[in-house]
Amino acid sequence: MESIITDLVKVMKEETSFLRREKAMMHFFSQLIIFLAQEAFRQLDDELFIEAKAQGYQSDRKSSRTVTFLFGTVTFHRRRMKNAAGDIYYPLDKFLGIRKGSRYSSLVLRNVAELGSMMVYRHVAKAIDCLTSWSMSHQNVQQLVVQTGTLIQARSTREERYDGVVEKKKVPFLYLEGDGVQIHGQKKQSLEIHRFQVCEGKQKDGQRSTLIHPYFISDLNRQKAQREMMHYLQANYDLRDTVVVSNSDGGSGYEKAVFDELALGCLRHEHFRDRYHVQRKVKERLYFVPQLQPKMQEALRQYDWDKVQTCLDTAESLIEEDEEKANEQLRLLSAYFIRNWPYLRPLKDRGIQDPKACIGTIESTHRKITYRMKRQGRLWTKTGATAMIQVIDSLRNHEINGWLNQYDERPQADVEREQKWKKMKRAVQKKPKFYSHEGAFSGQIAEGYAKSSPLGQFSNNLKQLNPTPHYL
């Protein structure tokens, strides 16, 4: 300890600038921690070797590996263990949670992915460079986010992901919503993120309201997102005594039938048309009579069809110019109300008395995704967009630590399939064996036949051919 302090004092005295002195101290502590980590890893490897040997494994070699942890980049040596069946693994790698082919620890993956879900990759790289003893390019940040998102997706969609659920929840009301978000893809493509969310209501948190036990699922494929939400509901909730309240804008893929399927087995299902989209439809169709828009919205809140019809008739009488277009807008608005009138009925008229009721919140929960993925003209590939929404949802669902803490091996079938593919690839890439040869043999048809016969004519024609290629 005294020698460490003496060396630190010496390092501090060598610098005269405040900033350089602190940077020197940071570098000194980083190197010290790396040295201690190397010694700790060496001791751990010795202990794990004894445990693996007791299980029938033998060490066939030692190899080095360089991994970047949050405290610095460490190069260490560890044993490779192999048993009689040919199974191979590195005990130290498994103990530290370092996956095959990865140059970064699980904590680095988690923190970089969280930062990447809030700001652009160049800013993440700059933050890492300023606050740690190592640096990373923005391309590496993108690769880590994609790697983390892919890992989360693989873990969160496994069949056994809900095996740990012992007892299902029983709640009187459950609020389910779905909607889509458009983002810009590369090569002038448009990508749509399909989102479903469920919660048990809302509660006051100071001046704001927060959702109770919310869960979010997003995907570029609507069927996958719907299927994952159904698995979550069926695995975590007993819906036999639950009233499911759903809400959507009625777009393609978000009709009542979709939510009927999600609410399968519930006591009762009540579907609503999203209030935000209804108000936007009113403003869009009644653009020529803005003074009637508040009255129309009040009539909808009271769920009074007579007042709605009165507003439509009044709007028709107030048309002054472009009569054809205005009448068409009124016709479309009337058809919209008729088509969705059963879904505009308020909660109290349906006998739902829940002080924690909340519907129409999915538009506000879009922000976590839209703030990160829609601003500043950002363009996304399908792979990058899928990884980003997986990271964002796992952070909001507080599941990212659980997914990254798992170090279970891949199924044996996947391992055997990969080994078979590598074997076939090596066989195809292998150069064929060379066999020497003497070239083409020359010959002629034997004599003893009339030259006027067909065989004689054929022999004469063969002799007239020039066997030497034209390029020689």
Side-chain angles (χ1 to χ4, degrees), residues 157-209:
T157 54
R158 288 184 176 178
E159 294 184 359
E160 62 272 14
R161 61 191 179 279
Y162 296 123
D163 290 349
V165 179
V166 179
E167 185 177 357
K168 296 183 179 181
K169 290 184 180 180
K170 293 183 179 181
V171 293
F173 298 97
L174 207 57
Y175 299 91
L176 181 63
E177 299 189 49
D179 197 11
V181 179
Q182 292 283 344
I183 62 173
H184 296 292
Q186 293 186 358
K187 299 181 180 179
K188 297 183 180 181
Q189 293 181 345
S190 180
L191 302 178
E192 184 174 5
I193 301 175
H194 300 276
R195 300 189 59 244
F196 288 94
Q197 72 175 41
V198 64
C199 68
E200 300 173 12
K202 65 179 180 180
Q203 60 186 1
K204 277 290 184 179
D205 186 10
Q207 297 296 324
R208 305 182 64 180
S209 297

Side-chain angles (χ1 to χ4, degrees), residues 89-143:
Y89 86 111
Y90 292 87
L92 185 59
D93 289 359
K94 186 174 182 179
F95 181 85
L96 298 176
I98 305 171
R99 298 170 182 84
K100 181 181 179 181
S102 177
R103 297 186 293 113
Y104 298 93
S105 67
S106 297
L107 185 57
V108 171
L109 291 178
R110 187 233 180 271
N111 289 0
V112 170
E114 183 173 7
L115 290 175
S117 69
M118 297 184 291
M119 54 179 141
V120 297
Y121 297 143
R122 291 184 184 274
H123 293 173
V124 176
K126 188 64 177 178
I128 292 173
D129 185 45
C130 291
L131 300 176
T132 65
S133 60
W134 46 276
S135 61
M136 177 185 292
S137 66
H138 69 276
Q139 293 94 338
N140 284 344
V141 173
Q142 180 183 9
Q143 292 174 1

Side-chain angles (χ1 to χ4, degrees), residues 272 275 300-303 344-351:
F272 288 81
R275 184 65 62 180
L300 293 174
R301 280 193 291 269
Q302 296 177 5
Y303 197 62
L344 298 177
R345 189 178 181 185
L347 280 168
K348 61 180 181 180
D349 292 348
R350 305 195 194 194

Side-chain angles (χ1 to χ4, degrees), residues 57 81-89 412:
Y57 284 86
M81 307 301 295
K82 186 176 182 180
N83 61 6
D87 300 328
I88 297 174
Y89 86 111
Q412 185 62 27

Side-chain angles (χ1 to χ4, degrees), residues 227-254:
R227 184 167 59 250
E228 289 303 315
M229 178 55 72
M230 177 178 290
H231 290 333
Y232 175 79
L233 293 174
Q234 296 298 325
N236 291 275
Y237 288 96
D238 185 353
L239 301 177
R240 288 176 294 180
D241 299 323
T242 301
V243 176
V244 175
V245 179
S246 62
N247 180 76
S248 72
D249 61 359
S252 177
Y254 301 97

Side-chain angles (χ1 to χ4, degrees), residues 372-400:
R372 176 62 183 90
M373 303 184 71
K374 292 191 71 171
R375 291 186 172 186
Q376 300 174 354
R378 295 167 189 164
L379 304 179
W380 297 86
T381 63
K382 289 186 177 181
T383 302
T386 301
M388 180 56 66
I389 60 181
Q390 290 294 331
V391 170
I392 292 175
D393 281 347
S394 64
L395 286 167
R396 300 178 78 179
N397 296 331
H398 306 289
E399 292 180 335
I400 188 170

